[in-house]
Structures are given as structure tokens and as C-alpha cells.
Amino acid sequence: MMSANLDDLTAAVRYALETTRATTICPFHDEVIIRVGDDAAESHAYERAKRILKSDGTAHESDALRDEIGRQLAIAADGRCPHCDRTDPAG
């Protein structure tokens, strides 16, 4: 899978979202993260993120995890890559 610094909240949440398939990366535009729209996967990502321990053996704060998951889901493209979804307005 991906290598991540799980001490970093952003990286830990990204890892949880990707490994539960709540988000995916566009195969053609690796800078685009796509929100799949699966509520169960998103809930599973939160549960997985809660179990990720930092190198000192502690977990990330629950409120911080919830906020970061919400932030990452909010900035992800909704369902489709906007670059792949472009249509030619003239055609």
C-alpha cells in the first residue's frame, strides 16, 4: 500500500480513507483524490484511524480525527475526477 508517517494526523487519515476505499486516487491524475461516496467505508475509515497508533504508542484525538476526515472528504472530488470529466463545450 502506501508508506505513511502515521504520527502525522493528515497522513494517518489519508491512509485510513484510502485503505477502506472511502477515497481513491484518479489513475490518470495522481494529484486528484476522489470521494467514493460510500458511507460505510467512511465510517470504517474513522474506526481504522482511531486504531492507528503513533510511534509513541498513543492514538490521535477523536475530535481531531473526525475534523480531519471531514476536511479531507470535503476537499476530495465528488465521485469523479474533474480532469477526466471535462467535456469540450464546442463539441
Side-chain angles (χ1 to χ4, degrees):
M1 269 285 134
M2 72 182 256
S3 137
N5 171 9
L6 299 180
D7 283 344
D8 176 50
L9 178 64
T10 300
V13 167
R14 184 177 311 119
Y15 172 81
L17 288 169
E18 287 180 17
T19 59
T20 57
R21 303 196 192 286
T23 61
T24 188
I25 296 173
C26 174
F28 305 107
H29 304 98
D30 60 359
E31 74 282 4
V32 177
I33 297 174
I34 301 166
R35 182 178 186 171
V36 175
D38 181 339
D39 291 341
E42 291 174 11
S43 295
H44 186 198
Y46 174 70
E47 293 303 318
R48 177 165 290 172
K50 284 193 325 188
R51 288 171 179 73
I52 293 173
L53 298 180
K54 296 183 276 185
S55 58
D56 66 2
T58 63
H60 294 280
E61 294 290 326
S62 294
D63 288 342
L65 284 172
R66 253 190 303 282
D67 291 346
E68 183 60 21
I69 286 174
R71 186 191 73 76
Q72 288 191 33
L73 290 174
I75 63 173
D78 200 18
R80 300 175 67 119
C81 172
H83 301 302
C84 292
D85 221 18
R86 285 192 183 142
T87 57
D88 183 5

